[in-house]
Amino acid sequence: MELQGVLIDIDHISSAGRSIIRLTVKNNSSVYSILDKSFYPYFKLVPYNINIDESSIEKMLFRDQQGNQLAIHGVTKTNMTLSGKEKTVLKVETNNSRNVPEVSKLLSEFGESYEYDILYWKRYLIDKKLNPLHGVSAVVHEEGGELILDSIKELDKEYVLEKGLSYMCFDIETYNPSVVPRPDKDPAIMISYYTGGEAAVLTTKKINRDFVRTFANEKEMISAFVKLIKEKDIDILSGYNSSNFDIPYLMKRAEKNGIDFHIGRYDEDVRQEHHGLLEAIRIPGRINLDVYNVARFVSIVGASEKLIKINRFTLSEVYRAISGDTKITVDKNNIWQIWDGSDADLEELADYSLSDSVTLNKLYEFFINLQIETSKVSRLTLAENAVSTTGQLVEALLMRYASDNNEIVPNKPSQYEISDRMSNPIEGAFVKTPEAGIYDGIVVFDFRSLYPSIIISHNIDPSTIAYPDYKGKASEAPNGTKFMASPMGIVPKALKKLLDDRKDIKKAYKNDPDNQTLAARSSALKILANSFYGYLGYARSRWYSRECAASVTAFGRSYITMTIEEAEKTGFKVLYGDTDSIFLQTQGKSKEEAMKFLEEINAKLPETMELELEDYYVRGVFVGKKGNSSAGAKKKYALLSEAGRVKIKGFELVRRDWSNIARTTQKEVLEAILKEGSKEKAIQIVKDVLARLRDGKVELKDLIIYTQLRKGIDKYDAKSPELAAARKAIQKGAKTKEEVEGSTIGYIITRSGNTISEKAEIDELADSYDPDYYINHQVVPATLKILKELGFSEEELKGGGVQKRL
């Protein structure tokens, strides 16, 4: 029997001591569980003795520390390459995936083991050349009521699910008399959900809301939620911080109530796993998509301008950043009191609970296309993709290319290797710092995908580094490292495919600008392509190469300095240059002359590299370094385009650790200078804000300063304002230690106290502000950097002194 559909999940089960791959395939009529009993877990052994008899290895029996027998299923000898060198390799199969690391260690006397830590299901996707969320054709037969795979291949054409992937957004509320809910004692009191246009709240009290469904007790409520997921046959279960809180909490409450929390497609437990610094939840046969992790990832990679400037990744803040709207909120610390309160209190809590799921649905719709397309590009499952860093996405893709190229995947580095790599940093990009000042008539040029195009142009890959007596054609980096011209390494090969695909997608998107799938695919390709250089120089990378990473930056410095020299010869004034961009003052030159310069530079570049016009700007502001009034700061400027668009880089208004009053004042000052060319208006803006601060007319919400406590509060030596605020909040019972550690703290400098730290209070507890602090440490420093270029002094900003210069 042949089945066609979309591969939405892959995992494995254990049966009679064997690990068996399980595929979840969905088509327009059903969802199928398909078992592949023909594929065994394995690792690769590079033997010290290339003449070793593989049958002697195959016959070996081992026992683990518990005395369990570890059998080898089979051994196959083959040839592969490692770091560009051919190796004899033994493919060693075992019956159980759990035994692979142990058996690989036990065989260490015979050779070096590789690929023993690649997850069994990832190994399967790589070897079978299958991609999650793509269409597959599977030939199966029935055996004991199960579908057993005979063969599988990916479809040439996309398989379209008529109704797409079904999903449910959900959220829970818990009883919390101790502020932090205790899953062993405190019940879940509400579960809200949104799916297919249907929204409801499950709870254990009668509440006068049409969307509320009431159950006799917590046990019935959780059971109803489990039943609902199964009845609606949900593909994707989505929460917000649900991998850390909601799902683990429900799992513990289900256990407490003596019920199975089997929310997967199969009668199995949900699995909690560590995934780097993140907690991952695996739901057998379904996809867990924690939008909190997704939002953080999108912000880090810069895939959404709306998220870059937010201070906290709470559901409310992310929703406001994405939609511009606000959601219903309550005092989360007092949910237990609301629950024990009046009918009106319960109605308010139900409204809040429902709004969490409805709000989450809107965020899900905003993010899901990018997540699906990133998953397709990285070739990981959607669940795995949602908890991966850019480095992990690159690594997953390179594993595919290594397999296609018959290369052994390098091992992860030891802690010693990581420390050694980190102690030997790589020289970075070239920067020509600007002269502080305000300039008219600016043109900005950017190298398109500079580092990726360098890697492709010069075939930069760990396996292509030319050995000392290499006589063939090679490309030599400015730092002296040579790279063989052929064969093409897997890093440039993967990058070329990504860039070529993005070029095609951008053309298609230009002809179909409303196609959000194309937009998401373009962003996904860009995210992956821009992550390769960082991965080559990342200390924990399997494909780390100091020679490669240093060569990329050396080539980058060479190309940018060549461009700067040519610009100066042509008569442009080079204001600023950084990594892949140059800012030129036209000095009376026409746009035609600027474009002619662009053509001349591109004629001198390798075929895959290209300098592009970013834009023409009417005016720009470059500020001085701290403590240096003439030397400009890098990555800190503001520009006004001919179309009236303001581009701002590096100022406080795009940072999270400055108050809103400082950021908004700085923005208004920049716009007054750039758009209106009015220094008088700019200085008046500052004076008006300072007067409002002195008169106590600024709202407390505009004075909050956000800082993340990255360590435990007991691990800090210095007494910073945010640390002092956090400790006081814990002492007063407003926050718990668990709530503040690793979190972003919002605090205000109040009037109460002598030192800044003594005056710091978290925003929820602050009832006043210290105007002198916000004048001297926030607004004046944020605006003086700009206004001093117009000749204004700190004394004049504060109301005294005389303008020094114009």
Side-chain angles (χ1 to χ4, degrees):
M1 176 173 61
E2 181 181 1
L3 298 174
Q4 289 191 354
V6 173
L7 177 59
I8 63 173
D9 191 33
I10 176 172
D11 59 2
H12 70 273
I13 61 172
S14 293
S15 178
R18 262 212 63 194
S19 294
I20 300 172
I21 287 290
R22 177 172 60 191
L23 307 169
T24 303
V25 177
K26 180 176 184 177
N27 61 23
N28 288 315
S29 59
S30 293
V31 178
Y32 301 94
S33 170
I34 303 172
L35 302 180
D36 189 346
K37 295 184 176 181
S38 66
F39 189 83
Y40 286 80
Y42 70 86
F43 64 96
K44 291 166 184 173
L45 183 74
V46 177
Y48 300 131
N49 178 7
I50 62 173
N51 297 316
I52 190 171
D53 180 12
E54 58 266 34
S55 63
S56 62
I57 298 290
E58 189 172 335
K59 294 174 184 176
M60 291 182 178
L61 290 175
F62 302 100
R63 291 191 182 275
D64 61 18
Q65 293 180 348
Q66 287 73 42
N68 300 313
Q69 184 171 288
L70 308 177
I72 294 174
H73 173 72
V75 180
T76 307
K77 185 181 284 190
T78 186
N79 291 317
M80 300 184 73
T81 59
L82 177 66
S83 300
K85 298 177 182 178
E86 189 166 317
K87 300 285 185 181
T88 296
V89 177
L90 299 182
K91 176 183 174 182
V92 183
E93 294 180 335
T94 68
N95 289 317
N96 197 302
S97 61
R98 291 197 303 268
N99 297 342
V100 169
E102 186 71 21
V103 174
S104 71
K105 287 181 184 177
L106 294 170
L107 289 178
S108 60
E109 63 179 292
F110 299 100
E112 184 79 19
S113 295
Y114 292 89
E115 303 187 10
Y116 51 84
D117 55 356
I118 297 177
L119 295 177
Y120 182 32
W121 64 265
K122 285 187 182 179
R123 175 85 273 166
Y124 184 87
L125 291 176
I126 292 169
D127 287 17
K128 297 291 185 179
K129 302 186 188 303
L130 297 176
N131 299 304
L133 304 182
H134 284 245
V136 295
S137 173
V139 178
V140 301
H141 68 273
E142 191 170 337
E143 185 180 293
E146 296 175 322
L147 293 179
I148 307 301
L149 185 73
D150 296 320
S151 65
I152 188 168
K153 64 179 181 179
E154 195 164 291
L155 294 172
D156 294 331
K157 293 184 179 180
E158 182 180 2
Y159 186 96
V160 178
L161 290 171
E162 292 173 358
K163 296 183 180 179
L165 295 172
S166 62
Y167 70 94
M168 175 186 285
C169 296
F170 83 102
D171 187 74
I172 73 170
E173 307 304 334
T174 59
Y175 197 67
N176 62 337
S178 298
V179 182
V180 176
R182 301 160 297 183
D184 59 326
K185 295 181 179 180
D186 301 326
I189 55 177
M190 287 182 176
I191 305 174
S192 65
Y193 70 88
Y194 182 102
T195 180
E198 173 189 331
V201 172
L202 313 182
T203 187
T204 57
K205 285 187 177 182
K206 289 185 178 181
I207 302 174
N208 187 26
R209 287 289 188 266
D210 292 340
F211 55 79
V212 169
R213 294 173 56 191
T214 305
F215 298 88
N217 50 49
E218 182 190 29
K219 180 178 181 178
E220 288 191 12
M221 178 183 71
I222 296 175
S223 296
F225 180 60
V226 174
K227 183 179 179 182
L228 188 70
I229 293 171
K230 291 182 176 180
E231 286 179 346
K232 294 187 177 294
D233 200 18
I234 298 301
D235 295 318
I236 303 173
L237 189 63
S238 181
Y240 200 84
N241 199 31
S242 53
S243 296
N244 279 307
F245 180 72
D246 301 70
I247 294 178
Y249 205 94
L250 288 176
M251 290 169 65
K252 290 174 182 175
R253 293 309 301 168
E255 182 182 1
K256 193 79 174 176
N257 282 282
I259 57 176
D260 291 328
F261 191 67
H262 292 166
I263 58 175
R265 279 200 163 99
Y266 315 115
D267 193 28
E268 300 168 13
D269 292 332
V270 172
R271 299 190 300 273
Q272 292 179 270
E273 301 173 357
H274 294 293
H275 198 283
L277 298 176
L278 299 179
E279 295 297 315
I281 295 289
R282 305 297 181 192
I283 306 174
R286 305 193 203 279
I287 298 165
N288 174 48
L289 189 71
D290 190 331
V291 174
Y292 171 79
N293 294 334
V294 172
R296 292 295 298 264
F297 174 84
V298 170
S299 173
I300 290 168
V301 301
S304 173
E305 287 290 332
K306 294 179 179 180
L307 293 182
I308 292 174
K309 302 174 187 178
I310 68 172
N311 298 305
R312 294 175 177 171
F313 283 87
T314 62
L315 179 60
S316 297
E317 287 218 23
V318 174
Y319 176 66
R320 182 166 58 243
I322 296 301
S323 68
D325 296 330
T326 57
K327 68 175 291 293
I328 298 171
T329 59
V330 298
D331 183 352
K332 297 190 74 171
N333 293 336
N334 294 322
I335 283 180
W336 68 283
Q337 291 178 320
I338 302 173
W339 177 255
D340 289 338
S342 65
D343 289 347
D345 289 335
L346 287 173
E347 290 165 9
E348 178 190 14
L349 188 59
D351 291 340
Y352 165 73
S353 178
L354 186 72
S355 75
D356 277 353
S357 289
V358 173
T359 296
L360 179 59
N361 174 70
K362 294 179 181 178
L363 297 187
Y364 174 92
E365 292 176 342
F366 180 83
F367 289 119
I368 189 60
N369 279 336
L370 179 62
Q371 283 300 292
I372 287 175
E373 295 307 318
T374 307
S375 176
K376 288 181 177 179
V377 172
S378 66
R379 307 180 191 179
L380 287 173
T381 63
L382 186 54
E384 182 80 0
N385 178 80
V387 291
S388 294
T389 63
T390 55
Q392 289 164 339
L393 298 180
V394 170
E395 183 172 282
L397 195 56
L398 286 179
M399 284 183 182
R400 294 294 190 106
Y401 277 85
S403 177
D404 294 343
N405 226 41
N406 198 39
E407 291 187 18
I408 299 171
V409 173
N411 286 331
K412 291 179 180 178
S414 66
Q415 192 57 50
Y416 172 81
E417 289 174 302
I418 293 169
S419 299
D420 184 58
R421 292 171 179 181
M422 293 178 71
S423 67
N424 192 16
I426 296 163
E427 184 179 356
F430 170 83
V431 177
K432 173 182 169 50
T433 55
E435 292 180 17
I438 299 169
Y439 301 89
D440 292 335
I442 300 170
V443 59
V444 178
F445 295 117
D446 283 328
F447 281 98
R448 178 173 59 86
S449 301
L450 178 62
Y451 284 176
S453 61
I454 286 173
I455 291 170
I456 296 167
S457 297
H458 300 284
N459 199 28
I460 296 177
D461 185 277
S463 69
T464 63
I465 298 173
Y467 43 86
D469 57 347
Y470 178 73
K471 302 299 182 184
K473 187 177 180 182
S475 177
E476 184 173 353
N479 64 353
T481 305
K482 294 182 179 180
F483 298 91
M484 296 181 286
S486 63
M488 195 173 194
I490 64 170
V491 172
K493 190 180 290 186
L495 267 175
K496 187 176 188 306
K497 181 70 166 60
L498 292 174
L499 294 186
D500 287 348
D501 285 353
R502 185 163 189 254
K503 193 174 182 180
D504 293 340
I505 291 293
K506 288 177 75 174
K507 285 181 182 177
Y509 183 53
K510 190 174 182 180
N511 296 325
D512 188 8
D514 295 326
N515 191 320
Q516 294 305 304
T517 299
L518 290 176
R521 173 60 68 92
S522 179
S523 294
L525 291 164
K526 181 179 179 180
I527 289 168
L528 264 291
N530 287 345
S531 302
F532 271 71
Y533 161 72
Y535 183 73
L536 284 173
Y538 176 50
R540 298 180 184 274
S541 164
R542 291 179 187 267
W543 274 274
Y544 172 87
S545 171
R546 192 177 193 284
E547 296 93 334
C548 288
S551 296
V552 173
T553 56
F555 272 120
R557 292 191 298 273
S558 174
Y559 287 122
I560 195 76
T561 53
M562 179 271 288
T563 305
I564 287 172
E565 290 169 2
E566 292 298 319
E568 290 173 339
K569 289 178 186 177
T570 310
F572 292 98
K573 179 179 179 180
V574 180
L575 296 175
Y576 177 48
D578 189 356
T579 310
D580 60 355
S581 302
I582 58 168
F583 296 61
L584 308 178
Q585 191 171 25
T586 57
Q587 300 193 133
K589 288 186 176 294
S590 65
K591 290 182 179 179
E592 289 75 17
E593 288 174 295
M595 295 309 294
K596 183 181 178 183
F597 166 75
L598 185 67
E599 291 175 8
E600 291 172 350
I601 291 296
N602 281 325
K604 297 178 181 180
L605 296 173
E607 186 178 347
T608 57
M609 295 185 64
E610 183 180 359
L611 188 67
E612 297 178 312
L613 171 69
E614 181 196 282
D615 211 343
Y616 294 97
Y617 295 93
V618 176
R619 187 173 295 114
V621 176
F622 296 88
V623 300
K625 286 183 180 178
K626 188 174 182 180
N628 190 329
S629 60
S630 59
K634 64 180 182 178
K635 298 185 185 299
K636 204 161 193 176
Y637 54 83
L639 304 169
L640 175 67
S641 73
E642 290 184 336
R645 180 177 63 90
V646 175
K647 178 179 180 179
I648 297 172
K649 184 81 170 180
F651 283 99
E652 280 67 33
L653 62 95
V654 294
R655 285 174 49 183
R656 298 172 184 164
D657 54 351
W658 284 71
S659 64
N660 188 53
I661 192 70
R663 289 185 278 121
T664 54
T665 306
Q666 188 183 72
K667 182 178 181 181
E668 289 175 8
V669 166
L670 285 170
E671 289 180 343
I673 294 170
L674 292 173
K675 291 185 175 180
E676 302 178 39
S678 174
K679 58 182 182 291
E680 292 80 13
K681 182 175 180 179
I683 192 71
Q684 192 57 50
I685 287 169
V686 180
K687 288 184 175 181
D688 289 346
V689 170
L690 298 189
R692 286 174 52 221
L693 279 166
R694 292 189 186 102
D695 294 341
K697 294 181 179 179
V698 177
E699 293 186 52
L700 291 178
K701 65 182 178 65
D702 289 325
L703 301 168
I704 302 171
I705 302 166
Y706 293 99
T707 303
Q708 185 176 12
L709 291 177
R710 299 185 182 277
K711 299 186 291 186
I713 60 173
D714 298 326
K715 295 181 180 179
Y716 285 89
D717 295 327
K719 191 175 181 181
S720 62
E722 62 270 19
L723 183 61
R727 284 176 172 164
K728 281 188 277 185
I730 294 170
Q731 291 168 1
K732 295 177 181 179
K735 295 282 184 182
T736 66
K737 186 177 180 182
E738 291 76 18
E739 281 184 295
V740 300
E741 290 185 340
S743 300
T744 298
I745 298 296
Y747 66 92
I748 292 173
I749 304 303
T750 68
R751 291 178 178 272
S752 303
N754 296 315
T755 66
I756 299 299
S757 292
E758 289 174 1
K759 293 180 178 183
E761 294 278 2
I762 63 167
D763 52 313
E764 294 99 321
L765 297 178
D767 57 4
S768 67
Y769 71 85
D770 180 355
D772 289 339
Y773 173 83
Y774 285 95
I775 290 170
N776 296 320
H777 297 281
Q778 291 279 309
V779 176
V780 169
T783 55
L784 184 62
K785 297 170 184 174
I786 306 161
L787 292 173
K788 70 181 179 182
E789 307 307 333
L790 295 171
F792 292 98
S793 66
E794 181 174 346
E795 291 77 15
E796 186 175 7
L797 283 182
K798 294 179 179 178
V802 179
Q803 184 180 349
K804 294 180 179 178
R805 58 184 171 83
L806 292 177

